[in-house]
Amino acid sequence: KLFPQLTTSSIALLLLLAVFFCAWVWQSGPGLLAAVLATLGFNFLFLPPLYTFTIEDPRNVSALVVFLVSGLLIGRLSALSRQRLTLLEAERRDLIALTQLSQGFLADTNRESLLGVAADRLRQALQCEQIAILLADERGDLAQRTETPKTQFREDLAQLAYRQGNSASFPS
């Protein structure tokens, strides 16, 4: 026997732990591969007859199937939890950005400085380099109110998009 001090069930649990680790670190594909390799290795190294893929005891067939299914499930669940943790961290960053935006609005009461704060916070939240905020004036024409430095945009396209979005109130 390869590890005489360990029982077969202890070795199976260690292999499942290795599958979990692979799936947690490298996601589902490597977790699936680790589960299959662990099942084959468990059969080859620890189930009699040793050093062959032949299964002597029919009870070991069901044990190997349970081991493989357990490895696949553990791998998939750990990969899913890792993905969800990544999504949760992204949502947390978005929430922090929105909180900072609302704090900026509450801290300023001047309309022009509020628009500057909004442009800066939107730029950060959207992870872009440039932002321009345009508002309609009394005549219904867009007037540029604020922008981040070096912002370039086509005013004619902005006007067209605005007019098409408000076609009920502007004749074509």
Side-chain angles (χ1 to χ4, degrees), residues 3 8 10 13 16 19 30-32 57 60 70 87 91 97-98 103 109 112-113 115 122 137 141 146 150 154:
F3 295 104
T8 307
S10 298
L13 289 174
L16 284 176
V19 169
L32 172 71
D57 188 354
N60 287 340
S70 299
L87 288 174
E91 288 176 2
L98 289 173
Q103 288 172 345
T109 55
E112 296 304 318
S113 60
L115 287 173
L122 282 171
D137 60 15
D141 292 325
T146 189
K150 300 181 184 175
R154 288 191 46 196

Side-chain angles (χ1 to χ4, degrees), residues 18-79:
V19 169
F20 169 77
F21 179 76
C22 287
W24 179 257
V25 173
W26 295 294
Q27 302 297 324
S28 293
L32 172 71
L33 179 63
V36 171
L37 290 176
T39 302
L40 292 173
F42 185 64
N43 180 19
F44 190 79
L45 297 171
F46 299 104
L47 295 180
L50 296 179
Y51 312 115
T52 175
F53 291 109
T54 305
I55 302 172
E56 190 173 87
D57 188 354
R59 291 178 292 180
N60 287 340
V61 172
S62 61
L64 276 177
V65 169
V66 169
F67 181 83
L68 178 62
V69 170
S70 299
L72 293 174
L73 286 173
I74 286 172
R76 182 67 185 139
L77 290 174
S78 64

Side-chain angles (χ1 to χ4, degrees), residues 37-170:
L37 290 176
T39 302
L40 292 173
F42 185 64
N43 180 19
F44 190 79
L45 297 171
F46 299 104
L47 295 180
L50 296 179
Y51 312 115
T52 175
F53 291 109
T54 305
I55 302 172
E56 190 173 87
D57 188 354
R59 291 178 292 180
N60 287 340
V61 172
S62 61
L64 276 177
V65 169
V66 169
F67 181 83
L68 178 62
V69 170
S70 299
L72 293 174
L73 286 173
I74 286 172
R76 182 67 185 139
L77 290 174
S78 64
L80 277 174
S81 67
R82 177 81 179 245
Q83 290 169 348
R84 290 197 175 147
L85 179 62
T86 302
L87 288 174
L88 184 64
E89 288 171 351
E91 288 176 2
R92 185 183 65 79
R93 285 190 305 272
D94 291 346
L95 184 59
I96 288 171
L98 289 173
T99 301
Q100 291 173 342
L101 178 63
S102 65
Q103 288 172 345
F105 282 143
L106 293 174
D108 247 326
T109 55
N110 178 342
R111 183 176 180 179
E112 296 304 318
S113 60
L114 279 176
L115 287 173
V117 169
D120 186 54
R121 301 290 189 205
L122 282 171
R123 184 189 56 75
Q124 290 173 3
L126 298 174
Q127 298 176 354
C128 61
E129 294 179 17
Q130 302 167 351
I131 286 257
I133 297 178
L134 300 146
L135 300 175
D137 60 15
E138 303 81 35
R139 297 178 316 215
D141 292 325
L142 285 179
Q144 185 173 344
R145 296 296 181 175
T146 189
E147 66 181 20
T148 54
K150 300 181 184 175
T151 299
Q152 297 175 350
F153 68 96
R154 288 191 46 196
E155 190 170 341
D156 59 330
L157 291 178
Q159 289 283 356
L160 178 64
Y162 176 70
R163 290 194 189 285
Q164 286 182 349
N166 291 302
S167 60
S169 59
F170 291 96

